[in-house]
Amino acid sequence: MLNGTGASSGTGGATGPGVDPDELPDGLVIADEHGRIVCFNTAAVRITAVPRAAALGRPLEQALPLEDLKGRRWWTLTDPYGGLAIRYGQPERNLLLPGGREVLVSARYIREHPTGPVLRVVVSLRGTEARRRTERSHAELIATVAHELRSPLTSVKGFTATLLAKWERFTDAQKRLMLETVDADANRVTRLIAELLDISRIDSGRLELRRQPVDIGAAVGRHIQAHTASGQDPDRFLVRIHQPLPDLWADPDKIDQILGNLLENAVRHGEGTVTIEVAAAAAKNDEKGTGVTVTDEGPGIPEESMSRVFTRFWRGSKRGGTGLGLYIVKGIVEAHGGTITVGRGANGGAEFRFILPVGAPAYLT
């Protein structure tokens, strides 16, 4: 007897000894050699909205009248009991129940020997909510990218068309200004494409690291110099580097990406002094590591938003941006085996802290 399902003792081996099918996260439906349902767990009830009492003892095709997206009856198409004897199941696919309820269904045919008659049909059911969330996320990503690309591409197209049509009418200073604008917008498009590639690699687990010795103090200095060269007051930045630091083997380009994003956020969205502190820190499993803390003196991040800071499309203010930067930063830090956290600084602003383990050279990983 399988607890909570009304199943016969012959189905106990399908879920293992002592396992209650109602504890499984996915829907489980088991039919006997006659095609009648002997197990219908709680998740199956939730996913299909079919009461357990209405399913147990009934033929599969009656209790679960599934159809494919073309309106064809799935049990008639697959014919688990009378079809080819060499088949062992059906891969997962999106099917419909009466009323248009979508479910993800896969099936396994249990035979006593490879070409023998089917003794049991084990059906796994999953809801489509997770897939819908993924689809919505992809749609939102496409919409964000389209929106972010439209402005710079319109600028590039407009200025280049104007220059080609009326080159002689503009002074050298005007031409230079327009070309500088085109160059800046082209860089913006390049950065957005790079972000998309990074997201794709992070999501698929294919983010490649080329580990080399990294002087993180010098890297911080380069980024601050770039900000001061673009007009920021040098006094706005306070750097504290606590020596000695452990040797750090990391991807220097990815470290620049992390520092660039965190400093850009602090400058753009924060206020007051931006403090960057670098010190030795314990990484995961008490491994030696380097910790970097970036703090500003702005309004900070609301407590209720901190859990969403590193998700896609999170924006801390209405000052532009794709909302992808911190998601990428977290992916890069974790690809290095590190951790990143967000909190409130001593002066009320946002505080981002990441810790990277010492790592190893690329040829040893």
Side-chain angles (χ1 to χ4, degrees), residues 113-189:
H113 51 84
T115 58
V118 173
L119 300 180
R120 290 192 301 275
V121 174
V122 181
V123 181
S124 173
L125 304 173
R126 292 197 298 130
T128 59
E129 294 82 2
R131 178 172 292 186
R132 293 299 182 202
R133 285 195 297 271
T134 301
E135 290 173 352
R136 283 195 298 270
S137 178
H138 289 164
E140 190 174 356
L141 179 61
I142 292 170
T144 299
V145 170
H147 175 76
E148 292 293 327
L149 285 175
R150 185 183 298 118
S151 177
L153 289 178
T154 299
S155 170
V156 168
K157 177 62 178 175
F159 279 123
T160 53
T162 301
L163 286 170
L164 287 171
K166 303 176 181 179
W167 180 267
E168 296 82 4
R169 299 187 186 182
F170 297 106
T171 65
D172 287 347
Q174 290 172 324
K175 292 174 184 176
R176 183 177 185 84
L177 178 61
M178 284 190 278
L179 288 173
E180 286 174 347
T181 304
V182 168
D183 183 61
D185 284 331
N187 287 337
R188 183 175 163 190
V189 171

Side-chain angles (χ1 to χ4, degrees), residues 37 48 72 76 158 194 253 272 274 283 335 346 357 365:
I37 295 176
T48 64
R72 298 174 298 186
T76 303
D253 292 336
V274 176
T365 59

Side-chain angles (χ1 to χ4, degrees), residues 3-215:
N3 296 335
T5 64
S8 66
S9 59
T11 63
T15 56
V19 177
D20 186 344
D22 287 341
E23 296 175 353
L24 299 175
D26 293 337
L28 175 67
V29 180
I30 302 176
D32 63 15
E33 67 271 21
H34 305 296
R36 294 187 177 275
I37 295 176
V38 295
C39 175
F40 202 82
N41 73 347
T42 299
V45 173
R46 172 178 52 81
I47 292 168
T48 64
V50 175
R52 180 175 290 160
L56 289 173
R58 296 182 65 194
L60 270 172
E61 64 272 15
Q62 294 180 17
L64 293 177
L66 296 163
E67 296 182 351
D68 66 14
L69 300 183
K70 295 181 180 179
R72 298 174 298 186
R73 301 298 292 266
W74 193 60
W75 297 113
T76 303
L77 283 174
T78 57
D79 193 12
Y81 293 93
L84 292 174
I86 59 173
R87 291 185 305 174
Y88 59 88
Q90 295 291 332
E92 185 176 78
R93 64 190 64 196
N94 197 0
L95 299 174
L96 300 174
L97 282 166
R101 179 183 289 265
E102 292 187 51
V103 288
L104 299 173
V105 182
S106 59
R108 177 81 175 182
Y109 305 156
I110 309 300
R111 305 175 188 272
E112 189 172 359
H113 51 84
T115 58
V118 173
L119 300 180
R120 290 192 301 275
V121 174
V122 181
V123 181
S124 173
L125 304 173
R126 292 197 298 130
T128 59
E129 294 82 2
R131 178 172 292 186
R132 293 299 182 202
R133 285 195 297 271
T134 301
E135 290 173 352
R136 283 195 298 270
S137 178
H138 289 164
E140 190 174 356
L141 179 61
I142 292 170
T144 299
V145 170
H147 175 76
E148 292 293 327
L149 285 175
R150 185 183 298 118
S151 177
L153 289 178
T154 299
S155 170
V156 168
K157 177 62 178 175
F159 279 123
T160 53
T162 301
L163 286 170
L164 287 171
K166 303 176 181 179
W167 180 267
E168 296 82 4
R169 299 187 186 182
F170 297 106
T171 65
D172 287 347
Q174 290 172 324
K175 292 174 184 176
R176 183 177 185 84
L177 178 61
M178 284 190 278
L179 288 173
E180 286 174 347
T181 304
V182 168
D183 183 61
D185 284 331
N187 287 337
R188 183 175 163 190
V189 171
T190 302
R191 285 195 301 272
L192 181 59
I193 292 172
E195 285 184 346
L196 291 175
L197 290 173
D198 284 335
I199 286 175
S200 173
R201 291 167 183 150
I202 289 168
D203 287 347
S204 62
R206 294 185 294 106
L207 188 65
E208 294 183 1
L209 301 178
R210 294 175 175 82
R211 294 181 185 267
Q212 303 172 30
V214 173
D215 185 340

Side-chain angles (χ1 to χ4, degrees), residues 264-318:
E264 178 70 22
N265 280 349
V267 169
R268 178 184 297 180
H269 304 295
E271 298 171 3
T273 301
V274 176
T275 304
I276 304 98
E277 191 162 0
V278 183
K284 292 179 180 177
N285 302 320
D286 294 328
E287 184 181 356
K288 287 184 179 180
T290 300
V292 180
T293 306
V294 179
T295 312
D296 63 66
E297 297 177 345
I301 298 169
E303 193 73 30
E304 63 272 14
S305 297
M306 286 189 180
S307 62
R308 298 184 287 109
V309 165
F310 297 109
T311 59
R312 288 187 189 183
F313 312 118
W314 184 85
R315 295 179 178 87
S317 71
K318 298 180 180 179

